[in-house]
Amino acid sequence: MGWYQALYEGNGRGEGPSGPRPTGFKLLLDVVRWRWWTLVKANIMFCLFCLPIVTIPAALKAMTRVCVLLLRGEPLDLWADWWGAFRQNLLRTMGAGLLMAVTLGASGFGVAFYARGMAESGLLAAPALILVVLMAILVMSLFSLFPLLEFSELGLGEAVRSALLLVLVRLPQNLAALALLVVLVAAYLLAYPYSTFGMVAIAFSLFWLVACFASWPGLEKYVFHTLEEETDG
């Protein structure tokens, strides 16, 4: 009976202990402890919805909604919220994904190009480093971009601009989330093929939960609060 209660009542499927919700890093740990089963299901749905490849941005936006609702402690109907976020503003989301994919792909090609020439000329290390930094900034901007696509009505250009600015405004938090991504990728490569099960089970949702945890306070402070003031005005 103990394992049954732990799986279906204690962790993952419950709402956690009563009382004030924790804040800061304790909130993240609290969500992982009490809602891990939701994270597993969201991770599996993410993998399935990414199979057509072109739907990856929409699947990431749906994952964003799930993670933010978990962090905010708001009611979550996993399938309804997922499907609603996936299909809402689909063209705008796919446009953002295409823009970022092209930019990241071009930057990665540039890094590879200059890296091959570094053996002949060390001066090529400079442009390669610049492109690596650019790629890091673009990846970190995704942490704010997809919440903006899901929870705001900003146009694509304004959302991208706001996400890039928030990389600088919330640089320590974004760097911490990026470092976690690097660790997860390194762990996956070192443990491959045994790590495939972990990737399918929870790795994507766990990482994106951390990304939303890092970006959401900045969005509330610098974007959504400003938008509310403009609406009230």
Side-chain angles (χ1 to χ4, degrees), residues 93-184:
T93 305
M94 293 180 67
L98 178 61
L99 175 64
M100 285 298 177
V102 170
T103 308
L104 283 169
S107 300
F109 177 81
V111 171
F113 175 79
Y114 287 116
R116 286 195 297 267
M118 284 171 55
E120 299 178 2
S121 175
L123 295 176
L124 295 179
L129 179 60
I130 292 174
L131 288 174
V132 168
V133 172
L134 175 61
M135 291 181 66
I137 292 174
L138 290 173
V139 171
M140 290 187 289
S141 71
L142 299 179
F143 305 159
S144 296
L145 177 60
F146 281 91
L148 286 170
L149 293 175
E150 173 58 25
F151 293 98
S152 79
E153 295 299 325
L154 294 176
L156 178 56
E158 186 65 21
V160 171
R161 187 182 71 87
S162 298
L164 289 171
L165 288 174
L166 283 167
V167 171
L168 301 178
V169 174
R170 302 272 299 176
L171 188 58
Q173 294 83 356
N174 286 309
L175 285 174
L178 182 63
L180 175 62
L181 174 60
V182 173
V183 170
L184 287 177

Side-chain angles (χ1 to χ4, degrees), residues 13 37 41 59 68 96 116 132 138 148 181 204 206 228:
R13 300 179 77 96
W37 183 239
K41 291 186 289 185
V68 170
R116 286 195 297 267
V132 168
L138 290 173
L148 286 170
L181 174 60
F204 294 112
L206 182 60
E228 290 177 0

Side-chain angles (χ1 to χ4, degrees), residues 199-215:
M199 296 292 287
V200 174
I202 199 172
F204 294 112
S205 60
L206 182 60
F207 168 71
W208 203 246
L209 180 71
V210 174
C212 292
F213 174 77
S215 64

Side-chain angles (χ1 to χ4, degrees), residues 39-41 43-44 47 196-203 205:
L39 293 173
V40 169
K41 291 186 289 185
N43 198 85
I44 295 172
C47 294
T196 303
F197 175 78
M199 296 292 287
V200 174
I202 199 172
S205 60

